[in-house]
């Protein structure tokens, strides 16, 4: 150190600090040593090969690592960041370390102590650090170049000492944070002596580098810059758990090691006959932990090993079970311990540790439900603690907890006012799912658990009956007779078996008695004359009694469907019970009655075949209830005025049951295997029909319908997913198509063939069918008798929705194109005015643009001149019309890189044209200006919030959910709850990048999300293929409403982008975020339009062709709407956008969406009545417009039925226009 000078006499001399000349002490080292050795060499280590040695070796004899660490305890401890609740641990930790790390390491006892192992770990990390540095021995030289540090240190030796500490302290702190997790350091400090078994276990784990791993790469944030975390998480901060003092040394490391082998052990156990506990034990025994635990030191002390097992079980429970109740922990402890004793009854420590994990997996579901019950009713813990003071061989606390819960919830009929009843019902609803889950657990026959389960089921079913009674009757009627009957029900149903006739008869008896009592109280007579129909009752009492009987019927039906035909029951109800129900609905003298608990129920004016009982029976396998089904069918046949109605009802019920019992989300391969099985097993029964309809025959039709439906779905998935030709090479798939073709072409009845064709069209569209039949493998798909005699393809004209005026103009244009005089066209146009002039434009599109190849050029030029002088067309409409006529060569959508023969192309093309025509036609309406501006001046939409574009969902979430938000390296946001800091690594669900982190340090590339609303203007949906195919709501828009408005937006954008020059393309690109190249902009919007159509189709449960008809209906409705909302349409703010969306939906979309079925049927009727479709027998057959011969039952049995999907149900509920009550 120092500075070199030259004296007056020419000799060299040095200026140095006096401290640099003094000898090194035990905390320091001489300067020459620092320049010749790396930090790891200076620090030194203990030899790891000899477990009992404590001979310390390093490069500088006078340096003592133990003394150095002792001097750095406070610095290292201060880096640990404990939670506020555990702040006292900082001072405790320093005291522990001062006792564990001696300043004088001169003892020669030969024992390996805590500080020896600590030095080994630090030395190992330092060695790893130095190995990664190209010039680790030049650290002192590099430090000498830091003038700032030299000025701060005062002396060079002091600077080097500081640098040495800067390297050691972070490593020391990181190791300390690990070994003191959950107060683990106290275990070694408080051990009776270093030779005790718990101390040997602690030190053995700490010394094992395979179990207790420390790596420089894990400690350093950036290896190249040698940077460390300034703060290290301390007690409780790692998992943000309540304060917990572990009892077993390094219990979390032991747990992690065993858990790491779990998946492999489970997989192997399922493939072999070896039990899971044995498989897991063998795999853990092969690890470093297994070798350590199986050491003679632990196996030779069975008594102390039992104590260690108990300590580990306690720690394990605290790591997986969150509660602050010691009594609850004790109950869970006893539950798992009883299972462990079954698996590992001997004093084998490792086997018991493994058994803890296996036992927990066995009773995990029980424990979770047990905890849920305690959260709902904390008093259960006290009751169970008082009953059970120690473990037994069968600790079924979940069943005991249910027993206690049901005892607490026993109804008190002395306090049965409406407020009390409502509170009691709420409590039952809260515990219902938990109780049902516990009662569904499997139990050993003749066990205590089985006995408890049966008794709990009895009591729970009693409560369910009383709850149903209260919901339907007690809450609506307050008479004393009601309370008395509820109490009688409770008494009669002591041990109910609702699958038996006797139990249901008790319910009927109580209800009959109740009806008699209330009739006497209300002075009502002749109950058979009462009907719950307007005008059928005379007095107020009679009306009240009619409502009362209606409530009683509802109660009775719920009891039957929920309890008598309970879905989770392994067997169907007893035959006597089913016969009782049949006797109720099939009255004497070939009459029927409603399913009712009353014996004096009036018979129906005319026999009615109800499917309710049939549907309940089919909840079970048809083979199990075959005899009962036959009885039901026979009795129904005796009553049916028209057998056809009964047969259709049976087929539909069978088909519904098949769908319920079928496996959801089948793969394509499983679908065609299942379809093949259904068709082969049932086709012979169908073909052997001799005129007598049997239940077996109807069931075969249902299975055939399902098999053909699956076949159509397989064809669609194979063909539309770009691996059509590959799967055709699959032998079983080829066999399926061969069998189906044979069934369709060689069968006696044509209905199966027609059904398959109908299903393909109604689910996937007419254009898809036409595309299919052009493939050699599917030429047979259209029945021969439905194929047109001429090979001229008939195209459905969707614009016939505009009625007779459109047909008249279309006919006049067709005559003009055939050479007739223009007078016919002029006459037709005179009937139009400016309000419906768009039909002329749509006609020219349909007759000229679509049929371009058949229109002569001369006619095209004449029509262009005619349009320019047409008085009923505005300038905007003239532009659109002329553009369509010029598109004779089909170049309007030439910018799209798509197959114009694809099934969806013509469907979407019509929607695009219709949208452009309608919004051009309505150019003067201020409310529709967003669409008009996008068509003619897209630059004016810059800075505008586009309709249906999502808000910044993250901004809203950050204001609702506690915690913190971060972004993965690719910008996808994610949330960390509780303390909001990273404690574990995971994978981004969007892109798979690493997210989260460890010990409150984020993984590289992850960054916190800055707060603030980041809702963007313009088009912000991103890539079309990244969008979900599920309909989603947006602000006040329903899912289907949002999908439809978004479809109209993209249709307009497709029109604009396909007709835009380079400047307009650039303007459109500026509106899209993230940006899209101008040359790709048209394709970008087209792909979004395709996705919109797919989403809307799923939501409406219609094919894409039929969905397009609904879109055309809405566009027609908009074109004919005369008054639009007086709403600001600038969309320059989020609030304005939301208001405009709501008004647009209510005024333009909701009137059609609220009754989709009616508008769809009306569109089909208009198309069917179109003269151009009169010879298309295929269309009439597919949409079932063909006349049916009287007495022919086959067409009715093979009618198309649309399956109700969850999305379609949501659409129906959200667009009813009514306020629905949440049940």
């Amino acid at each position: 150190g120092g500075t070199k000078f030259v004296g007056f006499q020419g000799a060299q001399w040095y200026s140095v600090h006096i401290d640099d000349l003094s000898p090194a002490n035990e905390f320091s080292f001489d300067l020459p040593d620092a320049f010749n050795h790396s930090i790891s060499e200076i620090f030194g280590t203990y030899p790891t090969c000899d477990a009992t040695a404590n001979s310390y070796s390093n490069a500088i004899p006078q340096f003592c690592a133990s003394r150095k660490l002792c001097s750095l305890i406070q610095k290292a401890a201060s880096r640990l960041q404990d939670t506020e609740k555990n702040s006292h641990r900082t001072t405790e930790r320093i005291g522990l370390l001062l006792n564990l790390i001696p300043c004088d390491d001169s003892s020669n006892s030969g024992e390996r102590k805590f500080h020896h192992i600590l030095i080994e770990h630090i030395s190992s990390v330092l060695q790893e650090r130095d190995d990664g540095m190209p010039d680790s021995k030049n650290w002192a030289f590099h430090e000498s170049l830091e003038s700032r540090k030299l000025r701060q240190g005062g002396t060079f030796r002091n600077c080097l000492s500081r640098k040495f500490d800067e390297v050691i302290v972070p490593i020391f702190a990181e190791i300390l944070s690990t070994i003191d997790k959950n107060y683990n350091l106290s275990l070694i400090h408080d051990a009776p002596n270093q030779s005790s078994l718990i101390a040997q276990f602690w030190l053995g784990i700490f010394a094992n580098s395979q179990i207790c791993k420390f790596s420089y790469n894990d400690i350093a944030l950036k290896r190249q810059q040698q940077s460390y975390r300034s703060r290290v998480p301390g007690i409780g901060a790692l998992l943000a758990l309540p304060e917990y003092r572990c009892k077993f040394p390094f219990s979390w490391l032991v747990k992690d090691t065993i858990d790491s082998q779990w998946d492999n052990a489970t997989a192997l156990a399922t493939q072999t006959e070896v039990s899971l506990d044995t498989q897991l034990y063998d795999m853990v025994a092969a690890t470093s932990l297994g070798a350590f635990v199986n050491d003679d030191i632990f196996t030779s002390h069975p008594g102390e090993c039992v104590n260690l097992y108990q300590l580990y079980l306690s720690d394990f429970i605290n790591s997986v079970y969150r509660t602050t109740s010691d009594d609850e922990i004790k109950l869970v402890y006893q539950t798992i311990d009883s299972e462990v004793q079954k698996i590992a009854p001997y004093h084998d420590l490792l086997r018991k540790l493994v058994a803890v994990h296996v036992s927990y997996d066995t009773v995990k579901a029980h424990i979770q439900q047990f905890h849920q019950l305690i959260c709902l009713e904390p008093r259960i813990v006290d009751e169970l603690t008082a009953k059970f003071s120690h473990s037994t061989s069968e600790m079924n606390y979940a069943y005991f907890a249910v027993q206690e819960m049901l005892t607490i919830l026993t109804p008190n009929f002395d306090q049965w006012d409406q407020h009390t009843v409502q509170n009691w019902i709420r409590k039952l609803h809260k515990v219902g799912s938990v109780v049902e889950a516990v009662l569904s657990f499997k139990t050993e026959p003749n066990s205590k658990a089985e006995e408890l389960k049966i008794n709990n089921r009895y009591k729970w079913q009693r409560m369910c009956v009383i709850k149903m009674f209260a919901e339907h009757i007690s809450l609506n009627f307050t008479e004393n007779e009601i309370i008395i009957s509820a109490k009688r029900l409770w008494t009669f149903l002591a041990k109910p078996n609702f699958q038996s006739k006797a139990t249901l008869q008790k319910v009927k008896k109580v209800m009959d008695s109740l009806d008699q009592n209330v009739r006497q109280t209300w002075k009502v007579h002749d109950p058979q004359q009462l009907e719950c129909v307007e005008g059928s009752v005379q007095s107020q009492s009679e009306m009240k009694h009619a409502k009362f009987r209606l409530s009683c019927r509802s109660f009775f039906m719920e009891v039957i469907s929920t309890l008598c035909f309970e879905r989770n029951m392994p067997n169907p109800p007893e035959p006597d019970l089913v016969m009782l129900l049949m006797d109720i609905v099939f009255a004497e003298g070939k009459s029927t009655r409603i399913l009712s608990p009353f014996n004096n129920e009036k018979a129906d004016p005319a026999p009615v075949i109800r499917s309710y009982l049939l549907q309940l029976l089919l909840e079970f396998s048809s083979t199990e209830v075959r005899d009962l089904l036959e009885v039901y069918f026979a009795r129904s046949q005796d009553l049916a005025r028209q057998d056809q109605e009964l047969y259709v009802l049976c087929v539909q019920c069978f088909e519904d049951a098949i769908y319920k019992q079928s496996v959801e989300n089948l793969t394509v391969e499983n679908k065609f295997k299942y379809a093949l099985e259904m068709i082969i097993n049932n086709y012979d029964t169908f073909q052997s029909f001799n005129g007598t309809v049997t239940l077996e025959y109807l069931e075969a039709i249902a299975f055939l319908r399902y098999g053909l439906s699956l076949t159509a779905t397989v064809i669609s998935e194979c063909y539309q997913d770009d691996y059509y030709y590959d799967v055709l090479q699959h032998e079983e798939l080829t066999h399926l198509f061969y069998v189906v073709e044979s069934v369709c072409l060689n069968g006696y009845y044509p209905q199966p063939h027609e059904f398959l064709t109908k299903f393909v069209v109604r689910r996937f569209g007419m254009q898809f069918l036409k595309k299919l039949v052009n493939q050699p493998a599917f030429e047979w798909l259209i029945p021969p008798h439905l194929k047109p005699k001429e090979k001229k393809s008939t195209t459905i004209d969707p614009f016939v929705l505009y009625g007779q005026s459109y047909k008249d103009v279309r006919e006049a244009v067709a005559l003009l194109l055939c050479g007739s005089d223009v007078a016919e066209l002029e006459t037709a146009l005179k009937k139009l005015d400016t309000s419906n002039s768009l039909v002329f434009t749509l006609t020219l599109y349909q007759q000229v643009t679509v049929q371009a190849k058949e229109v002569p050029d001369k006619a095209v030029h004449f029509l262009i001149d005619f349009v320019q002088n047409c008085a009923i067309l505005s300038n905007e409409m003239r532009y659109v019309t002329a553009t369509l006529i010029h598109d004779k060569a089909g170049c309007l959508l030439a910018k799209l890189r798509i197959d114009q023969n694809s099934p969806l192309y013509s469907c979407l093309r019509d929607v695009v044209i219709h949208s452009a025509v309608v919004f051009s036609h309505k150019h003067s309406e201020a409310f529709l200006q967003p669409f008009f501006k996008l068509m003619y001046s897209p630059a004016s939409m810059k800075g505008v919030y586009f309709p249906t574009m999502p808000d910044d969902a993250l901004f809203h979430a950050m204001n609702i959910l506690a915690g913190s938000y971060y972004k993965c390296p690719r910008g996808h946001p994610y949330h960390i709850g509780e303390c909001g800091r990273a404690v574990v690594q995971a994978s981004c669900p969007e892109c798979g990048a690493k997210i989260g982190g460890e010990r409150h340090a984020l993984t590289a590339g992850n960054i916190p999300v800055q707060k603030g609303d980041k809702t963007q203007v313009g088009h912000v949906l991103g890539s079309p293929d990244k969008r979900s195919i599920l309909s989603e709501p947006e602000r006040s828009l329903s899912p289907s409403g949002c999908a439809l408005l978004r479809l109209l937006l993209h249709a307009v954008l497709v029109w604009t982008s396909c007709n835009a020059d380079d400047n307009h393309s650039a303007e459109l690109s500026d509106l899209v975020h993230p940006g899209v190249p101008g040359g790709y902009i048209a394709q970008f919007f087209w792909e979004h339009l395709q996705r919109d159509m797919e989403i809307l189709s799923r939501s409406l449960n219609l094919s894409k062709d039929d969905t397009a008809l609904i879109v055309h209906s809405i566009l027609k409705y908009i074109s004919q709407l005369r008054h639009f909302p007086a709403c600001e349409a600038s969309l320059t703010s989020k609030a304005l956008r939301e208001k405009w969306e709501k008004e647009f939906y209510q005024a333009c979309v909701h009137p059609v969406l609220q009754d989709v079925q009616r508008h769809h049927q009306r569109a089909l009727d208009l198309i069917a009545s179109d003269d151009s479709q009169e010879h298309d027998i295929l269309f009439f057959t597919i949409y079932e417009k063909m006349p049916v011969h009287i007495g022919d039952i086959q067409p009715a049995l093979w009618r198309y039925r649309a399956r109700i999907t969850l999305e379609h149900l949501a659409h129906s509920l959200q667009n009813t226009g009514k306020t629905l009550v949440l049940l």
Side-chain angles (χ1 to χ4, degrees), residues 43 118 155 211 335 590 682 729 766 790 911 1137 1203:
F43 185 80
L118 176 61
T155 69
I211 304 173
T335 301
K590 292 189 176 182
N682 295 277
Q729 307 305 317
M766 179 69 79
E790 300 179 4
V911 169
R1137 172 175 65 181
R1203 302 300 307 170

Side-chain angles (χ1 to χ4, degrees), residues 1093-1162:
M1093 180 60 76
E1094 184 177 5
I1095 293 171
L1096 187 60
S1097 173
R1098 290 172 62 95
S1099 180
L1100 301 182
N1101 202 24
L1102 297 171
S1103 71
K1104 296 180 177 66
D1105 288 351
D1106 291 339
T1107 301
L1109 288 179
I1110 298 301
V1111 177
H1112 288 301
S1113 298
I1114 290 175
L1115 287 168
K1116 177 207 167 190
Y1117 183 84
I1118 294 173
S1119 72
Q1120 297 178 343
L1121 195 62
R1122 295 186 178 276
H1123 302 288
F1124 289 89
C1127 175
E1128 172 65 49
S1130 63
L1131 311 185
T1132 52
S1133 69
K1134 291 169 57 178
L1136 288 176
R1137 172 175 65 181
E1138 183 172 0
K1139 184 178 181 182
W1140 184 88
E1141 288 172 337
K1142 184 176 181 180
E1143 295 290 347
F1144 182 87
Y1145 174 76
Q1146 291 295 333
C1148 304
V1149 177
H1150 179 67
V1152 176
L1153 285 190
Q1154 69 177 341
D1155 196 353
V1156 168
Q1157 192 65 33
R1158 181 174 65 85
H1159 285 276
H1160 180 233
Q1161 195 59 48
R1162 182 175 180 276

Side-chain angles (χ1 to χ4, degrees), residues 383-397:
E383 297 293 336
L384 295 182
T385 302
K387 287 183 179 181
F388 306 101
S389 58
H390 61 277
S391 301
T392 64
S393 60
E394 195 174 341
M395 305 304 296
N396 299 286
Y397 287 124

Side-chain angles (χ1 to χ4, degrees), residues 172-242:
F172 187 6
E174 292 282 354
I175 294 175
L176 186 57
S177 72
T178 298
I179 64 176
D180 195 32
K181 180 179 177 180
N182 295 330
Y183 296 86
N184 182 63
L185 194 61
S186 297
L187 294 179
I188 185 64
H189 178 271
D190 298 339
N193 53 70
Q194 295 289 304
S195 60
S196 65
L197 201 63
I198 193 168
Q200 291 186 59
F201 199 98
W202 202 106
L203 293 174
I205 292 289
F206 188 30
N208 194 316
S209 60
Q210 297 299 315
I211 304 173
C212 198
K213 301 176 183 179
F214 298 101
S215 170
Y216 181 73
N217 287 332
D218 296 335
I219 295 174
L221 295 178
K222 294 180 180 178
R223 185 180 183 116
Q224 291 77 11
Q225 285 77 24
Q226 304 292 305
S227 60
Y228 304 89
R229 290 186 288 180
S230 59
R231 304 287 283 173
V232 180
I235 296 296
L238 285 175
L239 296 177
L241 292 171

Side-chain angles (χ1 to χ4, degrees), residues 157-173:
R157 175 179 285 165
N158 197 20
C159 280
L160 295 181
S161 181
R162 285 189 176 190
K163 176 62 179 179
F164 193 87
D165 293 351
E166 287 177 8
V167 175
I168 301 297
V169 168
I171 299 172
F172 187 6

